[in-house]
Amino acid sequence: MVTATPSAFAGDRVWADTVDSRRAIPASLEHADSHGADASGAWATSSAPTDRAEIRIALPPPALRLPHDSDPDDSDPLGLSTLLYYAVGLTGHDPRAGRWPLHRAVASARCLYPTECQVLLPHGIYRYDAAHHHLLKTAELDPGSATRLLHDIGARAALVVTSRPARTARLYGDYAPRLCAQEAGMTVGALHLTAVVSGLDVEIHQDPDILSALGDGWLDSDTDTDTDTDTEYAMACLAVAPRSGDALSGQTWVPAELAKVVRARHSGPLIFDPVPEPAPRALLDDLARALATSPLPDYSAYLCVNRVSETPCGIYRTVPGDRGWQLIAERDVVPDLERIGQTDGRVSLNFRSAAATVYLAVPRARAVEQYGDDAFRRVHLAAGAAAHRVTIAAACHGLAARVHNGYDAAAAHQELGLSDPGETVVFQLAIGRVGNHAGLRLPVVF
């Protein structure tokens, strides 16, 4: 069943089970040390079962460089091939037995990839099939109705980000909604950044009424409605159109060689144990600029600097629009990090070697008051979009950024000195240079 009402991400219980809880990891995850049958459907087809005749559109090859100055392909005037590939496409392949074989442009817990991208065009709705770099038609739409929908949001195409929590729940149980919401937010951030760099105007829509209107007539048409085991939830929509101006705004962070950076981005090996060497000072400048222009600005970022050249160790803070870091406390941050980052009494990763660790906090109390049960989805979209920018900024300097939820939210609030009692940390990202490890990542090129 598919729905535009994200009930799996609603209510007090999802906060208690996924953010506030200090429970041990699920037993199923503890023994899941390979990419086995549980995850086989998450990356292989990227589509739901259907009885309809399959209609596929093979997308042209994506651009090899971003930003690019080549003329658009006549068959793809918006450059959707490049946009989808560098935001939700397959960028790496590990051919070794017993490994997670395929890797997308956005980080995903255990490479389960519950997030999908539907593309609404005047002539139909298409699911992006990342494994083949195709658009798979999932529903016919009345051209007049589709055109009106796109006109209402000022778009030539609408990218609807959806999530299938059942894929992640196979390993993570009722912790899955948090991982899926985080990944959806990072996917929104990836689509937004890639669209901007590709020369498109883009606007993010989160309102459930807009999502319902966009999905009316097709969101419940491509799965078996007799079961809710693979319910698909609409998380956000991005309206894209050709840019009205000639150049990027000076207020937008645009990484040089974004295509190369996305292909190089990674989260490090299974055990995140970075090389104990300092990161360049330029990393902090890129992080600040990236976060300053994140598209959904309802969050604040805290940075624990441990090994960064020409920068005192300590805790720093920034908010969207600041373009710089404010020093909160100058001190050795390793004791703070090890108090925050504990799971079942054990430190969750090697903070002593990490160059820096970013924490993203959201105004939870204010969001709940404003949005009620929808607050969980909205704040994770905002923080997730920012988290993707953190991973890209790290990759610009050859560093890995690992999203790791093994931390105590209450301890993070205290040790980081969060100024608002209604704030809650929802992301922890450790940054460092990973050494030679037993890893193999071959590029995927279409």
Side-chain angles (χ1 to χ4, degrees), residues 145-161:
S145 174
T147 299
R148 284 192 298 273
L149 284 171
L150 293 171
H151 179 269
D152 287 345
I153 59 173
R156 289 275 296 277
L159 311 177
V160 182
V161 176

Side-chain angles (χ1 to χ4, degrees), residues 283-284 287 301-308 311-317 325 327-329 331-338 340 351 354-359 412 415-417 428-431:
L283 167 67
L284 303 194
L287 285 172
Y302 294 80
L303 176 69
C304 292
V305 171
N306 182 39
R307 297 175 183 271
V308 178
T311 306
C313 295
I315 300 174
Y316 297 74
R317 182 178 186 269
W325 294 101
L327 179 61
I328 296 175
R331 62 173 182 253
D332 179 6
V333 295
V334 170
D336 300 309
L337 292 169
E338 293 187 340
I340 294 169
F351 291 108
T357 305
V358 176
Y359 293 90
E415 301 297 336
L416 298 175
Q428 171 184 254
L429 298 101
I431 299 173

Side-chain angles (χ1 to χ4, degrees), residues 53-423:
E54 190 175 83
I55 300 175
R56 288 182 173 270
I57 299 176
L59 292 167
L64 294 178
R65 299 183 65 181
L66 280 175
H68 62 84
D69 53 9
S70 59
D71 294 330
D73 190 298
D74 290 341
S75 65
D76 184 20
L78 283 177
L80 291 177
S81 171
T82 297
L83 170 56
L84 292 169
Y85 176 75
Y86 288 108
V88 290
L90 293 174
T91 57
H93 173 226
D94 188 337
R96 295 170 299 160
R99 301 288 179 168
W100 301 308
L102 296 177
H103 299 264
R104 286 189 181 179
V106 170
S108 178
R110 300 277 168 150
C111 296
L112 295 171
Y113 302 119
T115 306
E116 304 239 14
C117 184
Q118 307 265 8
V119 183
L120 174 62
L121 297 169
H123 45 80
I125 181 72
Y126 299 82
R127 187 186 301 274
Y128 177 58
D129 182 348
H132 302 93
H133 196 53
H134 287 176
L135 291 179
L136 175 63
K137 196 166 193 175
T138 55
E140 295 281 353
L141 294 178
D142 172 67
S145 174
T147 299
R148 284 192 298 273
L149 284 171
L150 293 171
H151 179 269
D152 287 345
I153 59 173
R156 289 275 296 277
L159 311 177
V160 182
V161 176
T162 64
S163 183
R164 296 179 180 271
R167 289 180 180 171
T168 302
R170 293 165 186 162
L171 290 182
Y172 288 91
D174 57 10
Y175 194 80
R178 181 180 186 188
L179 298 172
C180 293
Q182 287 178 318
E183 185 178 322
M186 289 188 287
T187 301
V188 168
L191 287 165
H192 182 275
L193 180 60
T194 310
V196 168
V197 175
S198 298
L200 297 171
D201 281 333
V202 56
E203 183 178 0
I204 299 171
H205 296 278
Q206 306 177 71
D207 187 271
D209 292 337
I210 293 178
L211 296 179
S212 295
L214 288 170
D216 186 35
W218 62 267
L219 265 180
D220 58 353
S221 64
D222 64 341
T223 56
D224 180 5
T225 56
D226 292 331
T227 177
D228 61 357
T229 57
D230 195 22
T231 304
E232 186 172 13
Y233 297 93
M235 303 295 285
C237 168
L238 294 91
V240 296
R243 179 168 296 135
S244 54
D246 294 331
L248 288 167
S249 165
Q251 300 301 309
T252 301
W253 177 67
V254 181
E257 297 288 350
L258 178 62
K260 180 180 179 180
V261 171
V262 169
R263 289 192 294 265
R265 185 214 64 79
H266 63 96
S267 302
L270 181 61
I271 303 299
F272 191 73
D273 187 18
V275 176
E277 66 180 41
R281 166 69 202 191
L283 167 67
L284 303 194
D285 298 332
D286 269 333
L287 285 172
R289 287 194 293 266
L291 292 169
T293 54
S294 192
L296 298 173
D298 211 5
Y299 71 92
S300 56
Y302 294 80
L303 176 69
C304 292
V305 171
N306 182 39
R307 297 175 183 271
V308 178
S309 299
E310 305 173 20
T311 306
C313 295
I315 300 174
Y316 297 74
R317 182 178 186 269
T318 191
V319 296
D322 272 5
R323 292 184 172 269
W325 294 101
Q326 174 191 357
L327 179 61
I328 296 175
E330 183 175 342
R331 62 173 182 253
D332 179 6
V333 295
V334 170
D336 300 309
L337 292 169
E338 293 187 340
R339 280 190 289 270
I340 294 169
Q342 290 199 18
T343 302
D344 300 328
R346 295 171 295 178
V347 177
S348 54
L349 52 83
N350 187 355
F351 291 108
R352 300 187 180 196
S353 294
T357 305
V358 176
Y359 293 90
L360 299 175
V362 296
R364 171 177 171 176
R366 175 160 53 84
V368 170
E369 182 179 0
Q370 183 174 359
Y371 300 116
D373 283 349
D374 199 29
F376 186 88
R377 176 183 66 99
R378 287 177 178 264
V379 299
H380 279 87
L381 289 177
H388 178 71
R389 286 176 167 246
V390 171
T391 69
I392 294 297
C396 286
H397 298 275
L399 304 174
R402 167 64 62 83
V403 178
H404 197 291
N405 288 337
Y407 69 90
D408 186 323
H413 194 287
Q414 178 180 347
E415 301 297 336
L416 298 175
L418 270 62
S419 56
D420 182 351
E423 278 191 302

